[in-house]
Structure formats: structure tokens, C-alpha cells
Amino acid sequence: MKKILLFFTILFSTTVIVIGIYLFFGLPWKHHELKDEMIQYLEKRYKDDFSLGTLHYQIVNKNVYHTMATAKSTNVSFHIEITPDGKTIEDAYSYEYWSEAGEKFLKPIFKQHLHDMSWFYSDIYLLQEEVFQLDTLNNNRDVAYWNVSVGLGYSLDSENKTEELQKIINLIHSLKDEGFIMKSLSFDYLGNIIIIPDVYQKTFTDVDDLIPYLKFH
């Protein structure tokens, strides 16, 4: 009786372990094949070398294998996933690349006009998913709407308001001249916030044009 109980205990434990491995890793013997397909897909699409992390399996919501990939030439890491049959592969390289490009190309322009930034955040909405140019950002800045939020290390008051609003207008003009399509801009002056939606659709020539977007707290 004890041997039978021990047998079923071992069988149950083994079954639980096997199911756990399947739920987290899928079918381990498919990993090498699927990773090769991922590498071939990335190299063909982006003309670069890539390294992949450990492959994981997601059965909840999606029946896919997924991992993180890193591009050799840019060192950008991004999520990539593939269906078990290898027919569908999706990656986030373009999104991650252009997001990092915001830090690289947008932030210096903001620093030229706003000299005491305490934080900077940017994100994007890609307009052309298929457009991906590693070395020609200067010629392809219209691939995305850009959203930027900035924190300033001082308050906005009656003494500096006109000067600060003029800085923002000059910044908007510089961004337009550089070819960036700005979807939204927000500036946080220690609680006094300026939020400008759909910047690319508006024209700002005078500081009074920004007053409707100023919120005092």
C-alpha cells in the first residue's frame, strides 16, 4: 500500500512539474527551431545581427513563445514573439528604437531652450510601422507623432511667466523647423502645468496664445 501511495505521489509530482515546465517554457525541443526562425526574420528585416534571451511560453491570452532580442549595431533591446507554428512573428524594435531616438535627438533641443529641466519623458505613436532607418533619422522624423513631458525645477509666477512662455514658443518653432511632429507637450513648473494637445495643428506667435493651456494649482 505504501509503495502504491509513493508511486502515485511521485507520478503526481512529476505531472505537476511537467505541466509547470510546459506552461512556462512550452515545448523545450522547439526552442532551438523557433529561435532560429526569429533570428532569420530579424536579420532579413533589419539587416543586422541579433542576440536572443531565454525563450518563454505564454498560454494565457496568447499562444506564443516570446523573449527579448538585442540588436548588435544599436544595442537596443526589444520584445519579440512567435506562434508555435512559426507563421506569425511580431517585434517591437521600431517602437523601442524611435523611443530611444526621442531621448537622443529631442532632449538636446529642449535643453537649448529650457535650461533647468529636472526630468524629461518622451513617447511616440508610429505613423509608418514599416519605416525603419537606423542611420537616417534626420530624413525620417515624420515617422511618428511625438509626445513630450518636461519637469522644470522652479515655479511659474508673475515675474517669469512671460519669459518662460516665450521660451516654449521658441521651442515649438525649433521642433517644427527640425521636422518633428509634436502631438502633445506638457511642462510642469513645480505644480503649475502647461499642457498643449495637438501641437502640430496649432500656430503660436505670441505668449498670449499659450495662456489657455496654463493650469495653476
Side-chain angles (χ1 to χ4, degrees), residues 27-40:
L27 302 174
W29 54 85
K30 287 184 66 70
H31 285 202
H32 182 72
E33 174 189 346
L34 293 176
K35 290 180 80 169
D36 281 347
E37 291 187 29
M38 286 177 163
I39 289 291
Q40 292 173 17

Side-chain angles (χ1 to χ4, degrees), residues 128-174:
Q128 304 175 47
E129 287 283 355
E130 73 282 1
V131 175
F132 190 87
Q133 302 290 336
L134 292 179
D135 301 316
T136 54
L137 178 62
N138 289 335
N139 298 322
N140 292 278
R141 291 180 175 178
D142 58 351
V143 298
Y145 286 130
W146 301 79
N147 304 298
V148 177
S149 298
V150 175
L152 287 307
Y154 51 91
S155 299
L156 191 66
D157 54 37
S158 58
E159 294 184 0
N160 66 4
K161 184 173 70 173
T162 299
E163 180 182 358
E164 293 300 318
L165 294 182
Q166 186 60 55
K167 288 180 182 178
I168 292 176
I169 289 178
N170 295 340
L171 169 64
I172 292 173
H173 291 169
S174 293

